[in-house]
Structures are given as structure tokens and as C-alpha cells.
PDB file of all heavy atoms in Angstrom:
ATOM      1  N   PRO A   1      28.577  34.508 -37.721  1.00  0.00           N
ATOM      2  CA  PRO A   1      28.570  35.957 -38.019  1.00  0.00           C
ATOM      3  C   PRO A   1      27.517  36.743 -37.159  1.00  0.00           C
ATOM      4  O   PRO A   1      26.421  36.429 -37.061  1.00  0.00           O
ATOM      5  CB  PRO A   1      28.176  35.981 -39.465  1.00  0.00           C
ATOM      6  CG  PRO A   1      28.688  34.707 -40.029  1.00  0.00           C
ATOM      7  CD  PRO A   1      28.550  33.740 -38.900  1.00  0.00           C
ATOM      8  N   LEU A   2      28.034  37.735 -36.360  1.00  0.00           N
ATOM      9  CA  LEU A   2      27.198  38.527 -35.613  1.00  0.00           C
ATOM     10  C   LEU A   2      27.597  39.989 -35.617  1.00  0.00           C
ATOM     11  O   LEU A   2      28.776  40.363 -35.825  1.00  0.00           O
ATOM     12  CB  LEU A   2      27.228  37.994 -34.051  1.00  0.00           C
ATOM     13  CG  LEU A   2      28.545  37.933 -33.300  1.00  0.00           C
ATOM     14  CD1 LEU A   2      28.816  39.353 -32.696  1.00  0.00           C
ATOM     15  CD2 LEU A   2      28.324  36.899 -32.256  1.00  0.00           C
ATOM     16  N   SER A   3      26.710  40.866 -35.249  1.00  0.00           N
ATOM     17  CA  SER A   3      26.886  42.336 -35.178  1.00  0.00           C
ATOM     18  C   SER A   3      26.288  42.886 -33.866  1.00  0.00           C
ATOM     19  O   SER A   3      25.084  42.439 -33.507  1.00  0.00           O
ATOM     20  CB  SER A   3      26.229  42.985 -36.346  1.00  0.00           C
ATOM     21  OG  SER A   3      26.944  42.541 -37.592  1.00  0.00           O
ATOM     22  N   LEU A   4      26.979  43.684 -33.179  1.00  0.00           N
ATOM     23  CA  LEU A   4      26.429  44.297 -32.021  1.00  0.00           C
ATOM     24  C   LEU A   4      27.234  45.593 -31.710  1.00  0.00           C
ATOM     25  O   LEU A   4      28.389  45.733 -32.184  1.00  0.00           O
ATOM     26  CB  LEU A   4      26.313  43.448 -30.813  1.00  0.00           C
ATOM     27  CG  LEU A   4      27.554  42.729 -30.317  1.00  0.00           C
ATOM     28  CD1 LEU A   4      28.398  43.625 -29.420  1.00  0.00           C
ATOM     29  CD2 LEU A   4      27.289  41.437 -29.431  1.00  0.00           C
ATOM     30  N   ALA A   5      26.710  46.397 -30.828  1.00  0.00           N
ATOM     31  CA  ALA A   5      27.377  47.657 -30.521  1.00  0.00           C
ATOM     32  C   ALA A   5      27.442  47.800 -28.938  1.00  0.00           C
ATOM     33  O   ALA A   5      26.412  47.536 -28.294  1.00  0.00           O
ATOM     34  CB  ALA A   5      26.775  48.887 -31.120  1.00  0.00           C
ATOM     35  N   ILE A   6      28.490  48.282 -28.391  1.00  0.00           N
ATOM     36  CA  ILE A   6      28.706  48.603 -26.938  1.00  0.00           C
ATOM     37  C   ILE A   6      28.944  50.010 -26.709  1.00  0.00           C
ATOM     38  O   ILE A   6      29.954  50.548 -27.380  1.00  0.00           O
ATOM     39  CB  ILE A   6      29.785  47.689 -26.300  1.00  0.00           C
ATOM     40  CG1 ILE A   6      29.490  46.235 -26.539  1.00  0.00           C
ATOM     41  CG2 ILE A   6      29.913  48.013 -24.851  1.00  0.00           C
ATOM     42  CD1 ILE A   6      30.658  45.313 -26.071  1.00  0.00           C
ATOM     43  N   ASN A   7      28.070  50.622 -26.109  1.00  0.00           N
ATOM     44  CA  ASN A   7      28.230  52.145 -25.896  1.00  0.00           C
ATOM     45  C   ASN A   7      29.148  52.529 -24.703  1.00  0.00           C
ATOM     46  O   ASN A   7      29.390  51.659 -23.825  1.00  0.00           O
ATOM     47  CB  ASN A   7      26.882  52.754 -25.752  1.00  0.00           C
ATOM     48  CG  ASN A   7      25.921  52.635 -26.844  1.00  0.00           C
ATOM     49  OD1 ASN A   7      26.335  52.430 -27.999  1.00  0.00           O
ATOM     50  ND2 ASN A   7      24.610  52.769 -26.629  1.00  0.00           N
ATOM     51  N   LYS A   8      29.694  53.704 -24.794  1.00  0.00           N
ATOM     52  CA  LYS A   8      30.590  54.103 -23.735  1.00  0.00           C
ATOM     53  C   LYS A   8      29.774  54.229 -22.385  1.00  0.00           C
ATOM     54  O   LYS A   8      28.724  54.833 -22.382  1.00  0.00           O
ATOM     55  CB  LYS A   8      31.133  55.543 -24.181  1.00  0.00           C
ATOM     56  CG  LYS A   8      32.236  55.953 -23.152  1.00  0.00           C
ATOM     57  CD  LYS A   8      32.850  57.267 -23.561  1.00  0.00           C
ATOM     58  CE  LYS A   8      33.976  57.643 -22.546  1.00  0.00           C
ATOM     59  NZ  LYS A   8      34.632  58.989 -23.038  1.00  0.00           N
ATOM     60  N   GLY A   9      30.406  53.701 -21.305  1.00  0.00           N
ATOM     61  CA  GLY A   9      29.735  53.663 -20.023  1.00  0.00           C
ATOM     62  C   GLY A   9      28.735  52.593 -19.804  1.00  0.00           C
ATOM     63  O   GLY A   9      28.158  52.433 -18.760  1.00  0.00           O
ATOM     64  N   ASP A  10      28.567  51.714 -20.747  1.00  0.00           N
ATOM     65  CA  ASP A  10      27.645  50.548 -20.714  1.00  0.00           C
ATOM     66  C   ASP A  10      28.299  49.498 -19.591  1.00  0.00           C
ATOM     67  O   ASP A  10      29.469  49.347 -19.506  1.00  0.00           O
ATOM     68  CB  ASP A  10      27.558  49.765 -22.074  1.00  0.00           C
ATOM     69  CG  ASP A  10      26.346  50.254 -22.948  1.00  0.00           C
ATOM     70  OD1 ASP A  10      25.596  51.082 -22.395  1.00  0.00           O
ATOM     71  OD2 ASP A  10      26.302  49.812 -23.988  1.00  0.00           O
ATOM     72  N   THR A  11      27.350  48.846 -19.093  1.00  0.00           N
ATOM     73  CA  THR A  11      27.677  47.481 -18.318  1.00  0.00           C
ATOM     74  C   THR A  11      26.996  46.456 -19.225  1.00  0.00           C
ATOM     75  O   THR A  11      25.805  46.146 -19.118  1.00  0.00           O
ATOM     76  CB  THR A  11      27.150  47.432 -16.964  1.00  0.00           C
ATOM     77  OG1 THR A  11      27.762  48.476 -16.189  1.00  0.00           O
ATOM     78  CG2 THR A  11      27.623  46.069 -16.327  1.00  0.00           C
ATOM     79  N   PHE A  12      27.777  46.001 -20.263  1.00  0.00           N
ATOM     80  CA  PHE A  12      27.100  45.166 -21.294  1.00  0.00           C
ATOM     81  C   PHE A  12      27.294  43.754 -20.999  1.00  0.00           C
ATOM     82  O   PHE A  12      28.441  43.193 -20.844  1.00  0.00           O
ATOM     83  CB  PHE A  12      27.841  45.472 -22.630  1.00  0.00           C
ATOM     84  CG  PHE A  12      27.096  44.897 -23.862  1.00  0.00           C
ATOM     85  CD1 PHE A  12      26.068  45.611 -24.646  1.00  0.00           C
ATOM     86  CD2 PHE A  12      27.444  43.598 -24.251  1.00  0.00           C
ATOM     87  CE1 PHE A  12      25.552  45.091 -25.652  1.00  0.00           C
ATOM     88  CE2 PHE A  12      26.757  43.082 -25.323  1.00  0.00           C
ATOM     89  CZ  PHE A  12      25.851  43.765 -26.057  1.00  0.00           C
ATOM     90  N   GLY A  13      26.255  42.964 -20.781  1.00  0.00           N
ATOM     91  CA  GLY A  13      26.353  41.535 -20.388  1.00  0.00           C
ATOM     92  C   GLY A  13      26.196  40.697 -21.547  1.00  0.00           C
ATOM     93  O   GLY A  13      25.535  40.859 -22.535  1.00  0.00           O
ATOM     94  N   ILE A  14      27.077  39.641 -21.476  1.00  0.00           N
ATOM     95  CA  ILE A  14      27.157  38.623 -22.491  1.00  0.00           C
ATOM     96  C   ILE A  14      26.685  37.303 -21.810  1.00  0.00           C
ATOM     97  O   ILE A  14      27.551  36.744 -21.053  1.00  0.00           O
ATOM     98  CB  ILE A  14      28.478  38.424 -23.249  1.00  0.00           C
ATOM     99  CG1 ILE A  14      28.932  39.768 -23.948  1.00  0.00           C
ATOM    100  CG2 ILE A  14      28.420  37.358 -24.410  1.00  0.00           C
ATOM    101  CD1 ILE A  14      30.252  39.719 -24.572  1.00  0.00           C
ATOM    102  N   ALA A  15      25.595  36.781 -22.050  1.00  0.00           N
ATOM    103  CA  ALA A  15      25.034  35.595 -21.371  1.00  0.00           C
ATOM    104  C   ALA A  15      24.903  34.469 -22.142  1.00  0.00           C
ATOM    105  O   ALA A  15      24.723  34.568 -23.379  1.00  0.00           O
ATOM    106  CB  ALA A  15      23.745  35.927 -20.702  1.00  0.00           C
ATOM    107  N   GLY A  16      24.999  33.204 -21.512  1.00  0.00           N
ATOM    108  CA  GLY A  16      24.876  32.037 -22.392  1.00  0.00           C
ATOM    109  C   GLY A  16      25.504  30.861 -21.613  1.00  0.00           C
ATOM    110  O   GLY A  16      26.256  31.071 -20.637  1.00  0.00           O
ATOM    111  N   GLU A  17      25.213  29.630 -21.960  1.00  0.00           N
ATOM    112  CA  GLU A  17      25.816  28.487 -21.403  1.00  0.00           C
ATOM    113  C   GLU A  17      27.291  28.336 -21.737  1.00  0.00           C
ATOM    114  O   GLU A  17      27.733  28.936 -22.637  1.00  0.00           O
ATOM    115  CB  GLU A  17      24.982  27.174 -21.756  1.00  0.00           C
ATOM    116  CG  GLU A  17      23.564  27.374 -21.375  1.00  0.00           C
ATOM    117  CD  GLU A  17      22.685  26.164 -22.059  1.00  0.00           C
ATOM    118  OE1 GLU A  17      22.577  26.254 -23.316  1.00  0.00           O
ATOM    119  OE2 GLU A  17      22.314  25.346 -21.253  1.00  0.00           O
ATOM    120  N   SER A  18      27.891  27.450 -21.019  1.00  0.00           N
ATOM    121  CA  SER A  18      29.285  27.037 -21.360  1.00  0.00           C
ATOM    122  C   SER A  18      29.395  26.592 -22.787  1.00  0.00           C
ATOM    123  O   SER A  18      28.607  25.764 -23.231  1.00  0.00           O
ATOM    124  CB  SER A  18      29.882  25.969 -20.394  1.00  0.00           C
ATOM    125  OG  SER A  18      29.959  26.471 -19.131  1.00  0.00           O
ATOM    126  N   GLY A  19      30.364  27.131 -23.548  1.00  0.00           N
ATOM    127  CA  GLY A  19      30.478  26.731 -24.962  1.00  0.00           C
ATOM    128  C   GLY A  19      29.766  27.588 -25.815  1.00  0.00           C
ATOM    129  O   GLY A  19      29.631  27.303 -27.118  1.00  0.00           O
ATOM    130  N   SER A  20      29.012  28.591 -25.315  1.00  0.00           N
ATOM    131  CA  SER A  20      28.237  29.455 -26.279  1.00  0.00           C
ATOM    132  C   SER A  20      29.049  30.426 -27.042  1.00  0.00           C
ATOM    133  O   SER A  20      28.582  31.124 -27.952  1.00  0.00           O
ATOM    134  CB  SER A  20      27.101  30.191 -25.430  1.00  0.00           C
ATOM    135  OG  SER A  20      27.748  31.102 -24.433  1.00  0.00           O
ATOM    136  N   GLY A  21      30.252  30.645 -26.636  1.00  0.00           N
ATOM    137  CA  GLY A  21      31.061  31.568 -27.326  1.00  0.00           C
ATOM    138  C   GLY A  21      31.376  32.910 -26.644  1.00  0.00           C
ATOM    139  O   GLY A  21      32.010  33.872 -27.084  1.00  0.00           O
ATOM    140  N   LYS A  22      30.939  33.027 -25.426  1.00  0.00           N
ATOM    141  CA  LYS A  22      31.019  34.248 -24.691  1.00  0.00           C
ATOM    142  C   LYS A  22      32.551  34.725 -24.447  1.00  0.00           C
ATOM    143  O   LYS A  22      32.911  35.891 -24.837  1.00  0.00           O
ATOM    144  CB  LYS A  22      30.431  34.144 -23.234  1.00  0.00           C
ATOM    145  CG  LYS A  22      28.994  33.704 -23.177  1.00  0.00           C
ATOM    146  CD  LYS A  22      28.428  33.709 -21.785  1.00  0.00           C
ATOM    147  CE  LYS A  22      29.260  32.855 -20.781  1.00  0.00           C
ATOM    148  NZ  LYS A  22      29.164  31.333 -21.077  1.00  0.00           N
ATOM    149  N   THR A  23      33.353  33.790 -24.039  1.00  0.00           N
ATOM    150  CA  THR A  23      34.776  34.210 -23.755  1.00  0.00           C
ATOM    151  C   THR A  23      35.551  34.344 -25.020  1.00  0.00           C
ATOM    152  O   THR A  23      36.352  35.231 -25.238  1.00  0.00           O
ATOM    153  CB  THR A  23      35.418  33.096 -22.904  1.00  0.00           C
ATOM    154  OG1 THR A  23      34.736  32.955 -21.622  1.00  0.00           O
ATOM    155  CG2 THR A  23      36.782  33.357 -22.575  1.00  0.00           C
ATOM    156  N   THR A  24      35.165  33.606 -26.062  1.00  0.00           N
ATOM    157  CA  THR A  24      35.806  33.719 -27.378  1.00  0.00           C
ATOM    158  C   THR A  24      35.538  35.115 -27.996  1.00  0.00           C
ATOM    159  O   THR A  24      36.464  35.824 -28.487  1.00  0.00           O
ATOM    160  CB  THR A  24      35.411  32.663 -28.353  1.00  0.00           C
ATOM    161  OG1 THR A  24      35.735  31.359 -27.844  1.00  0.00           O
ATOM    162  CG2 THR A  24      35.933  32.828 -29.732  1.00  0.00           C
ATOM    163  N   LEU A  25      34.395  35.474 -27.805  1.00  0.00           N
ATOM    164  CA  LEU A  25      33.976  36.927 -28.344  1.00  0.00           C
ATOM    165  C   LEU A  25      34.723  38.016 -27.442  1.00  0.00           C
ATOM    166  O   LEU A  25      35.227  38.897 -28.105  1.00  0.00           O
ATOM    167  CB  LEU A  25      32.372  37.141 -28.074  1.00  0.00           C
ATOM    168  CG  LEU A  25      31.887  38.394 -28.652  1.00  0.00           C
ATOM    169  CD1 LEU A  25      32.058  38.594 -30.130  1.00  0.00           C
ATOM    170  CD2 LEU A  25      30.350  38.499 -28.225  1.00  0.00           C
ATOM    171  N   ALA A  26      34.797  37.795 -26.215  1.00  0.00           N
ATOM    172  CA  ALA A  26      35.436  38.827 -25.447  1.00  0.00           C
ATOM    173  C   ALA A  26      36.924  38.804 -25.695  1.00  0.00           C
ATOM    174  O   ALA A  26      37.666  39.895 -25.810  1.00  0.00           O
ATOM    175  CB  ALA A  26      35.323  38.566 -23.895  1.00  0.00           C
ATOM    176  N   ARG A  27      37.638  37.677 -25.994  1.00  0.00           N
ATOM    177  CA  ARG A  27      39.022  37.645 -26.290  1.00  0.00           C
ATOM    178  C   ARG A  27      39.339  38.303 -27.688  1.00  0.00           C
ATOM    179  O   ARG A  27      40.366  38.861 -27.927  1.00  0.00           O
ATOM    180  CB  ARG A  27      39.487  36.098 -26.409  1.00  0.00           C
ATOM    181  CG  ARG A  27      39.670  35.590 -24.995  1.00  0.00           C
ATOM    182  CD  ARG A  27      39.709  34.038 -25.107  1.00  0.00           C
ATOM    183  NE  ARG A  27      40.855  33.565 -25.593  1.00  0.00           N
ATOM    184  CZ  ARG A  27      42.097  33.399 -25.054  1.00  0.00           C
ATOM    185  NH1 ARG A  27      42.143  33.625 -23.740  1.00  0.00           N
ATOM    186  NH2 ARG A  27      43.153  32.909 -25.623  1.00  0.00           N
ATOM    187  N   MET A  28      38.354  38.127 -28.551  1.00  0.00           N
ATOM    188  CA  MET A  28      38.550  38.891 -29.873  1.00  0.00           C
ATOM    189  C   MET A  28      38.419  40.406 -29.679  1.00  0.00           C
ATOM    190  O   MET A  28      39.176  41.112 -30.335  1.00  0.00           O
ATOM    191  CB  MET A  28      37.504  38.428 -30.885  1.00  0.00           C
ATOM    192  CG  MET A  28      37.657  37.102 -31.492  1.00  0.00           C
ATOM    193  SD  MET A  28      36.598  36.762 -32.914  1.00  0.00           S
ATOM    194  CE  MET A  28      35.057  36.654 -32.067  1.00  0.00           C
ATOM    195  N   ILE A  29      37.473  40.891 -28.833  1.00  0.00           N
ATOM    196  CA  ILE A  29      37.471  42.372 -28.579  1.00  0.00           C
ATOM    197  C   ILE A  29      38.714  42.914 -27.980  1.00  0.00           C
ATOM    198  O   ILE A  29      39.145  43.890 -28.217  1.00  0.00           O
ATOM    199  CB  ILE A  29      36.287  42.607 -27.615  1.00  0.00           C
ATOM    200  CG1 ILE A  29      34.899  42.243 -28.455  1.00  0.00           C
ATOM    201  CG2 ILE A  29      36.232  44.049 -27.164  1.00  0.00           C
ATOM    202  CD1 ILE A  29      33.696  42.329 -27.515  1.00  0.00           C
ATOM    203  N   MET A  30      39.284  41.994 -27.083  1.00  0.00           N
ATOM    204  CA  MET A  30      40.525  42.314 -26.443  1.00  0.00           C
ATOM    205  C   MET A  30      41.829  42.346 -27.452  1.00  0.00           C
ATOM    206  O   MET A  30      42.856  42.819 -27.007  1.00  0.00           O
ATOM    207  CB  MET A  30      40.906  41.467 -25.211  1.00  0.00           C
ATOM    208  CG  MET A  30      39.876  41.676 -24.035  1.00  0.00           C
ATOM    209  SD  MET A  30      40.298  40.668 -22.688  1.00  0.00           S
ATOM    210  CE  MET A  30      41.784  41.529 -22.019  1.00  0.00           C
ATOM    211  N   GLY A  31      41.670  41.665 -28.578  1.00  0.00           N
ATOM    212  CA  GLY A  31      42.787  41.565 -29.396  1.00  0.00           C
ATOM    213  C   GLY A  31      43.647  40.357 -29.137  1.00  0.00           C
ATOM    214  O   GLY A  31      44.700  40.165 -29.677  1.00  0.00           O
ATOM    215  N   ILE A  32      43.251  39.441 -28.250  1.00  0.00           N
ATOM    216  CA  ILE A  32      44.022  38.177 -27.861  1.00  0.00           C
ATOM    217  C   ILE A  32      43.997  37.270 -28.979  1.00  0.00           C
ATOM    218  O   ILE A  32      45.043  36.658 -29.368  1.00  0.00           O
ATOM    219  CB  ILE A  32      43.472  37.638 -26.538  1.00  0.00           C
ATOM    220  CG1 ILE A  32      43.731  38.632 -25.405  1.00  0.00           C
ATOM    221  CG2 ILE A  32      44.123  36.296 -26.284  1.00  0.00           C
ATOM    222  CD1 ILE A  32      43.059  38.118 -24.092  1.00  0.00           C
ATOM    223  N   ILE A  33      42.866  37.114 -29.648  1.00  0.00           N
ATOM    224  CA  ILE A  33      42.799  36.275 -30.879  1.00  0.00           C
ATOM    225  C   ILE A  33      42.097  37.164 -31.936  1.00  0.00           C
ATOM    226  O   ILE A  33      41.338  38.059 -31.611  1.00  0.00           O
ATOM    227  CB  ILE A  33      41.982  35.047 -30.632  1.00  0.00           C
ATOM    228  CG1 ILE A  33      40.483  35.349 -30.095  1.00  0.00           C
ATOM    229  CG2 ILE A  33      42.646  34.083 -29.619  1.00  0.00           C
ATOM    230  CD1 ILE A  33      39.561  34.072 -29.897  1.00  0.00           C
ATOM    231  N   GLU A  34      42.393  36.755 -33.143  1.00  0.00           N
ATOM    232  CA  GLU A  34      41.841  37.489 -34.333  1.00  0.00           C
ATOM    233  C   GLU A  34      40.581  36.880 -34.769  1.00  0.00           C
ATOM    234  O   GLU A  34      40.391  35.644 -34.815  1.00  0.00           O
ATOM    235  CB  GLU A  34      42.912  37.574 -35.436  1.00  0.00           C
ATOM    236  CG  GLU A  34      44.104  38.373 -35.123  1.00  0.00           C
ATOM    237  CD  GLU A  34      44.985  38.574 -36.354  1.00  0.00           C
ATOM    238  OE1 GLU A  34      44.621  38.085 -37.421  1.00  0.00           O
ATOM    239  OE2 GLU A  34      46.014  39.183 -36.137  1.00  0.00           O
ATOM    240  N   SER A  35      39.686  37.724 -35.279  1.00  0.00           N
ATOM    241  CA  SER A  35      38.426  37.125 -35.925  1.00  0.00           C
ATOM    242  C   SER A  35      38.790  36.508 -37.318  1.00  0.00           C
ATOM    243  O   SER A  35      39.753  36.893 -37.985  1.00  0.00           O
ATOM    244  CB  SER A  35      37.522  38.177 -35.985  1.00  0.00           C
ATOM    245  OG  SER A  35      37.881  39.295 -36.934  1.00  0.00           O
ATOM    246  N   THR A  36      38.064  35.542 -37.693  1.00  0.00           N
ATOM    247  CA  THR A  36      38.179  34.957 -39.015  1.00  0.00           C
ATOM    248  C   THR A  36      37.696  35.872 -40.105  1.00  0.00           C
ATOM    249  O   THR A  36      38.289  35.984 -41.124  1.00  0.00           O
ATOM    250  CB  THR A  36      37.453  33.542 -39.125  1.00  0.00           C
ATOM    251  OG1 THR A  36      37.926  32.741 -37.966  1.00  0.00           O
ATOM    252  CG2 THR A  36      37.661  33.004 -40.362  1.00  0.00           C
ATOM    253  N   SER A  37      36.588  36.585 -39.925  1.00  0.00           N
ATOM    254  CA  SER A  37      36.080  37.545 -40.728  1.00  0.00           C
ATOM    255  C   SER A  37      35.268  38.613 -39.978  1.00  0.00           C
ATOM    256  O   SER A  37      35.100  38.501 -38.792  1.00  0.00           O
ATOM    257  CB  SER A  37      35.153  36.826 -41.860  1.00  0.00           C
ATOM    258  OG  SER A  37      34.053  36.184 -41.244  1.00  0.00           O
ATOM    259  N   GLY A  38      34.869  39.667 -40.720  1.00  0.00           N
ATOM    260  CA  GLY A  38      34.169  40.777 -40.069  1.00  0.00           C
ATOM    261  C   GLY A  38      35.132  41.806 -39.556  1.00  0.00           C
ATOM    262  O   GLY A  38      36.331  41.677 -39.600  1.00  0.00           O
ATOM    263  N   SER A  39      34.634  42.864 -38.893  1.00  0.00           N
ATOM    264  CA  SER A  39      35.360  43.909 -38.459  1.00  0.00           C
ATOM    265  C   SER A  39      35.054  44.231 -36.978  1.00  0.00           C
ATOM    266  O   SER A  39      33.897  44.268 -36.577  1.00  0.00           O
ATOM    267  CB  SER A  39      35.371  45.196 -39.273  1.00  0.00           C
ATOM    268  OG  SER A  39      33.964  45.665 -39.381  1.00  0.00           O
TER     269      SER A  39
END
């Protein structure tokens, strides 16, 4: 469970090692996969 906000015009970086969840998080924002919970 995490919460964050991305503002209009941001260059918002998501950093971390392989397997940290970066791409999974981006795919949820794109709507490619659905989140288990949260909004």
C-alpha cells in the first residue's frame, strides 16, 4: 500500500532496483493491469 501524487507538468521519477515494483506501478497508472486495492 502506497500513496503519492504526480502534478501536471512534472517529470516524476520512479527509481529502484529490478523487482522493486516500478514497472508494475506504471502499468497500473496506465490501466494495463488493475490494482488489488486502493484508488
Side-chain angles (χ1 to χ4, degrees):
L2 61 79
S3 299
L4 57 83
I6 300 172
N7 295 338
K8 188 174 183 179
D10 270 352
T11 301
F12 192 92
I14 304 176
E17 301 170 290
S18 295
S20 62
K22 306 186 301 292
T23 301
T24 299
L25 183 62
R27 286 165 67 88
M28 286 193 295
I29 294 173
M30 292 186 70
I32 296 174
I33 57 176
E34 292 186 4
S35 60
T36 304
S37 63
S39 60

